[in-house]
Amino acid sequence: MPTPTVQYYRIVYILPRGPLALRYGAVPAQLISHYRILGPLGQGGMGVVYRAEDTTLRRTVALKFLPPRSASTPKVNDNLRREARTASTLNHPNICTIYEVGEDSGEVFIAMEYVEGSTLAAAIQHGALPTETVLRHGRQLASALAHAHDRGIIHGDLKPLNIIVTPDGDAKILDFGLARRTDPAEFDRHTLETTSMDSRGGLGGTLPYMAPEQIEGGEASFRTDLWSLGIVLYEMASGSRPFQGENLYLLCHSILRDPMRSLPSTVPTGLATVISRCLEKEPARRYASAGEVRAALEALTHGKEESIAVPPAVAPKRRYLKLGLAVGAVLVAAGLLAAVASRDSFWKRSPLGNLTTGTVPSRVLLSVLPPVGRGDASQSAFESGLADTLSTRLGELSARHPLVVIPMNETLDKRVTTVDAARQEFGVNLVLVLNVQHAANDVRVNYALVDARSHQQVRSGTITASAGDPFALQDQVFESVAAAMELQLAPQEKQTYSSHGTTQPAAYDFYVQGLGYLQDYVVPEKVDNAITLFRRAMEKDPGYAAASAGLGEAFFRKYQLTHDNQWADAAVGSCQKAAQLG
């Protein structure tokens, strides 16, 4: 399947005046300063981005507007301007150039280079890249980091979604020096930002790509960028990540404690050595600079593997699960609740039974669409939480099966609610559509696996279980969907994936509902409901680590909404308890 061409920027909020009017088509063209808006590029955690024409220099640019809450905070506004101006001094072919930081009618914007291409993340979704491509992109990324590091600038959020591969096959880093420079109120599922929590230390980056010292609450450094580069190299070489966990609390634990997962045997020894050194848990054992990484990759390109040296031994220091791990555990299941009216018609025209009407791809790239809530608030929350946990459990199968699952938080963040949107945004070949019905004392889950290109139903099924037994419902849906994708689960795998972290059905029910409410964490009432439900889960099972971590996340979301430090303290305490229970 060809990868769609995109221009990727992370954005979420739309500003109230010009950009909002543009989005809804009220204004065909508009001047912001000396830039003429041509059309929207996307939206995400840091504002809204438009393609625009620089009327002075007659060139196409990407114009990023900051969210209203960021723009209205003088300290954050000044910091962002300063960091953007510093990053604008970078001039490297593999770094997206920042042209200007300006303001027009109270709207703060950043003008930057318009980059065409597709994200590296989209390419990796199709599996490992050829070794020559890994080496090429690796050299380019290391060279870009070396250029920035020489000027005292740390990226702090290097990941495949922040890297564009141009039509010429060159890797280009986006958001250099900007990704972790916002107010905690703009904290989203992709980027963890606590720069204003002065009394608690700083933590910046995207959790799966964060170095152990960052997770422990330490500051970012040049060597934390090298760790992130190692994760990116590993993903390019293998098609998967070196550290995994069924939720982000367990992922934190894996990054801190577990060895790197073995690379496929097809990865050359020299490249594996470079990756392994970048992923040393002790910063002192990593390369001393990005320039050294670039030199090592260049040596491999020219067949000089003997120059790839193993770092000298350094006595390891004892690690503690400090605030970084606590906040990492906070991210178990964040998201935005999405509603999809278009799927109503799908279920009306697609009667479900255990049908087989198409061929399952040999390698499945799957997106799980969030269900449409039609019942009361608690039922809708349960349905959203059910889809979230199902997506996570299916994703864990990727370690042993030809399956890649788009995380639910990515689906919600991109507001993907249709089959077409999932294919366009993620390049998937299968989409799992869910419909949950509540009747008397039973819950019925209808599911359909839909071919993303043809929209034909490939497999479908119906699972009915007692409303009082969420374990049975979750397990039966999981096993049925796995079987529908022709994945042969070994008995040990079934036993592993049937573990719910608790033996109390009521505790699990409350936990799943809490996850569902927390997907809409910008709504105070839903955060309060999540806190109540996670507490009830803990009352039913005081040893339920996942519920304690969920409670920690809910407390942290409460802190974001109120900026009351008591909630931050409660978040740390709850997540530390989760670490102890886990």
Side-chain angles (χ1 to χ4, degrees):
M1 179 187 304
T3 301
T5 298
V6 298
Q7 298 80 34
Y8 178 78
Y9 295 89
R10 289 182 305 114
I11 341 203
V12 160
Y13 297 97
I14 298 173
L15 296 181
R17 293 181 291 281
L20 183 59
L22 278 166
R23 183 183 182 186
Y24 288 97
V27 183
Q30 179 175 336
L31 278 175
I32 301 293
S33 183
H34 57 283
Y35 299 98
R36 186 182 306 280
I37 304 296
L38 301 178
L41 286 177
Q43 63 182 52
M46 291 190 66
V48 60
V49 172
Y50 294 95
R51 187 168 63 92
E53 178 192 6
D54 184 334
T55 59
T56 301
L57 299 179
R58 299 296 180 185
R59 64 183 175 186
T60 300
V61 302
L63 214 59
K64 175 183 291 188
F65 293 87
L66 301 186
R69 282 180 290 177
S70 288
S72 63
T73 306
K75 180 179 178 181
V76 172
N77 193 355
D78 291 344
N79 288 343
L80 183 58
R81 287 173 180 270
R82 182 171 60 255
E83 296 296 342
R85 288 180 178 128
T86 301
S88 69
T89 64
L90 299 177
N91 181 17
H92 191 277
N94 301 112
I95 297 176
C96 176
T97 303
I98 295 175
Y99 298 138
E100 177 187 359
V101 182
E103 185 173 346
D104 186 284
S105 301
E107 293 177 351
V108 179
F109 65 85
I110 301 171
M112 64 186 68
E113 179 184 2
Y114 175 76
V115 184
E116 292 191 15
S118 58
T119 65
L120 182 60
I124 293 173
Q125 284 177 6
H126 296 277
L129 304 183
T131 298
E132 56 269 23
T133 302
V134 177
L135 292 173
R136 173 184 172 87
H137 292 339
R139 294 194 309 270
Q140 293 170 338
L141 298 175
S143 178
L145 290 176
H147 176 81
H149 292 175
D150 287 345
R151 288 152 183 80
I153 299 174
I154 302 167
H155 188 284
D157 195 26
L158 186 67
K159 59 186 176 183
L161 282 171
N162 273 344
I163 299 167
I164 288 287
V165 179
T166 69
D168 294 331
D170 294 324
K172 201 148 191 168
I173 303 176
L174 305 178
D175 279 346
F176 216 112
L178 296 178
R180 59 189 180 90
R181 313 294 189 183
T182 70
D183 189 276
E186 304 306 326
F187 187 116
D188 62 29
R189 286 174 305 285
H190 288 303
T191 302
L192 193 59
E193 299 171 349
T194 59
T195 54
S196 73
M197 297 173 64
D198 298 330
S199 64
R200 305 177 188 279
L203 185 63
T206 299
L207 191 57
Y209 301 88
M210 287 170 58
E213 63 269 22
Q214 286 178 287
I215 292 178
E216 288 187 324
E219 295 291 339
S221 69
F222 299 143
R223 280 175 165 163
T224 59
D225 271 352
L226 300 188
W227 171 280
S228 301
L229 176 60
I231 301 288
V232 173
L233 289 171
Y234 186 103
E235 282 196 79
M236 287 194 290
S238 68
S240 62
R241 291 175 183 162
F243 305 100
Q244 298 184 7
E246 66 181 22
N247 57 49
L248 294 187
Y249 160 66
L250 293 178
L251 174 60
C252 256
H253 188 276
S254 178
I255 292 172
L256 287 170
R257 303 292 179 85
D258 295 343
M260 179 188 83
R261 298 175 64 190
S262 298
L263 284 159
S265 59
T266 53
V267 177
T269 302
L271 177 56
T273 301
V274 173
I275 294 172
S276 178
R277 183 167 177 182
C278 287
L279 295 180
E280 288 285 351
K281 297 189 188 297
E282 294 293 336
R285 291 177 60 88
R286 297 173 207 153
Y287 289 97
S289 69
E292 286 190 7
V293 181
R294 179 188 59 205
L297 294 172
E298 287 175 347
L300 288 175
T301 304
H302 296 93
K304 299 177 180 179
E305 293 195 15
E306 64 274 9
S307 64
I308 311 303
V310 177
V314 176
K317 63 181 179 181
R318 185 178 179 184
R319 298 195 171 276
Y320 297 90
L321 299 179
K322 300 195 292 186
L323 174 62
L325 178 56
V327 179
V330 157
L331 295 177
V332 173
L336 297 173
L337 183 61
V340 192
S342 62
R343 271 172 294 163
D344 291 341
S345 59
F346 173 85
W347 292 111
K348 290 178 181 177
R349 68 176 183 268
S350 301
L352 292 178
N354 290 311
L355 302 179
T356 300
T357 59
T359 303
V360 175
S362 58
R363 180 179 176 85
V364 174
L365 304 176
L366 179 73
S367 178
V368 181
L369 296 186
V372 179
R374 298 182 181 83
D376 59 27
S378 62
Q379 290 177 346
S380 295
F382 177 83
E383 294 165 13
S384 298
L386 182 71
D388 194 347
T389 54
L390 177 62
S391 175
T392 299
R393 294 176 71 184
L394 289 172
E396 284 298 300
L397 295 177
S398 62
R400 298 179 180 87
H401 300 274
L403 169 69
V404 176
V405 181
I406 304 301
M408 180 61 73
N409 61 348
E410 294 284 344
T411 302
L412 294 168
D413 182 58
K414 296 294 184 180
R415 301 182 185 180
V416 170
T417 58
T418 65
V419 173
D420 282 336
R423 178 172 176 264
Q424 180 177 0
E425 187 67 45
F426 304 121
V428 299
N429 52 20
L430 277 186
V431 176
L432 179 62
V433 184
L434 300 170
N435 173 266
V436 184
Q437 300 172 351
H438 301 262
N441 296 321
D442 292 333
V443 178
R444 175 178 298 171
V445 177
N446 301 316
Y447 72 84
L449 286 167
V450 181
D451 184 283
R453 183 180 293 275
S454 68
H455 287 213
Q456 294 298 310
Q457 183 174 291
V458 177
R459 298 282 193 277
S460 66
T462 299
I463 301 298
T464 302
S466 169
D469 190 357
F471 291 156
L473 180 67
Q474 178 76 257
D475 293 344
Q476 290 176 35
V477 173
F478 168 74
E479 291 187 14
S480 183
V481 172
M485 290 189 290
E486 301 177 358
L487 302 177
Q488 301 296 323
L489 302 186
Q492 184 177 1
E493 284 185 294
K494 292 182 179 180
Q495 182 177 1
T496 299
Y497 293 120
S498 65
S499 173
H500 303 280
T502 180
T503 59
Q504 301 296 320
Y508 185 70
D509 191 15
F510 288 138
Y511 169 72
V512 172
Q513 289 184 56
L515 292 183
Y517 276 116
L518 209 53
Q519 287 183 358
D520 209 359
Y521 58 83
V522 295
V523 179
E525 293 79 5
K526 293 190 176 182
V527 173
D528 290 339
N529 287 341
I531 290 174
T532 298
L533 288 162
F534 287 132
R535 279 175 167 165
R536 289 180 179 174
M538 291 297 294
E539 290 172 0
K540 294 293 183 181
D541 183 356
Y544 196 178
S548 185
L551 183 60
E553 179 189 359
F555 284 149
F556 192 82
R557 299 304 185 188
K558 186 74 171 179
Y559 164 76
Q560 288 182 273
L561 295 170
T562 64
H563 295 284
D564 186 338
N565 283 337
Q566 69 168 319
W567 296 110
D569 292 334
V572 171
S574 187
C575 289
Q576 287 176 337
K577 181 177 181 179
Q580 295 169 358
L581 293 173

